[in-house]
Amino acid sequence: FDVIIHWRRPNEFMKSDFAEGLLEPAVFYDSIEPNDVKPGILGNEWFLSAVSLLAERPVMIERLFITKEINSLGIYRLKLCKNGEWVTVTVDHFFPCFPEGEPLFARCHGNEFWVMLLEKAYAKLHGNYFLLRGGFAHEALLDLTGCPAVSYDIDDEYVQHFIENGQFWDLIKFFDDEGYLLSLSTPGEGRWVDNH
């Protein structure tokens, strides 16, 4: 990245102000909500979309966290599923930030930092933050749930046939009625293309 990065702790960039409703920094507050997720400059919206989708069912986010409370050591453990196997990922509470400023990448509204911990653990699982640029929400859902994911490409001839005869809508309605997690993606920045 072409910016200077300062690695900072949550208490260094999250200021509590009870008048403004900003409590002391915490992993979680009372509830986990999809609008907790705020993207940064990384370009990993595919991953953050999956996190937001999962936040519709807070228990699915909570079960990823082994460490659920802030601690003085700044060490947090999370569980992620990679290649069909659940692995424990340990991260610290230092996050990449603009010099003396806010986090560069994903964050929560307010002073929760569960999104930053989850993103950092996912980046560590894959090698580094930069490798999270570009992807598909169904890939992240597989890693976050351990459950199989299906992707339908609207441009695919087979899918086009189902759209034309109305069966695709029936399939989506069936999935929704059964409680499946559903997301929609549009083409964005290419994973292996550097746009300058």
Side-chain angles (χ1 to χ4, degrees), residues 179-194:
Y180 288 35
L181 297 170
L182 302 173
S183 71
L184 175 70
S185 298
T186 59
E189 179 181 328
R191 181 184 294 199
W192 309 117
V193 177
D194 196 6

Side-chain angles (χ1 to χ4, degrees), residues 47-186:
F47 170 69
L48 298 177
S49 294
V51 171
S52 290
L53 180 59
L54 226 57
E56 290 279 347
R57 299 178 187 170
V59 71
M60 296 186 84
I61 293 288
E62 287 176 16
R63 74 184 189 121
L64 298 173
F65 286 79
I66 298 169
T67 310
K68 298 176 195 268
E69 301 289 331
I70 194 167
N71 64 76
S72 60
L73 297 175
I75 304 295
Y76 299 87
R77 296 177 71 212
L78 294 88
K79 296 182 299 187
L80 298 168
C81 185
K82 195 63 189 164
N83 300 323
E85 188 173 324
W86 286 96
V87 295
T88 299
V89 181
T90 303
V91 295
D92 61 30
H93 66 176
F94 286 90
F95 300 103
C97 296
F98 291 104
E100 302 302 319
E102 297 291 315
L104 286 166
F105 307 140
R107 57 195 172 278
C108 287
H109 291 283
N111 284 345
E112 291 178 285
F113 57 96
W114 67 266
V115 173
M116 290 182 278
L117 288 170
L118 186 54
E119 181 185 54
K120 186 171 186 173
Y122 201 66
K124 184 174 182 179
L125 185 68
H126 288 86
N128 62 50
Y129 280 102
F130 194 75
L131 293 175
L132 299 185
R133 294 178 64 217
F136 300 98
H138 71 276
E139 295 171 343
L141 283 172
L142 179 61
D143 293 341
L144 296 170
T145 66
C147 296
V150 176
S151 174
Y152 296 97
D153 184 347
I154 298 296
D155 293 329
D156 183 82
E157 186 177 320
Y158 182 74
V159 175
Q160 282 290 324
H161 174 73
F162 277 111
I163 291 171
E164 290 169 9
N165 68 19
Q167 290 177 324
F168 192 67
W169 176 253
D170 293 337
L171 183 64
I172 290 174
K173 183 166 178 357
F174 169 78
F175 289 158
D176 187 50
D177 291 344
E178 291 295 311
Y180 288 35
L181 297 170
L182 302 173
S183 71
L184 175 70
S185 298
T186 59

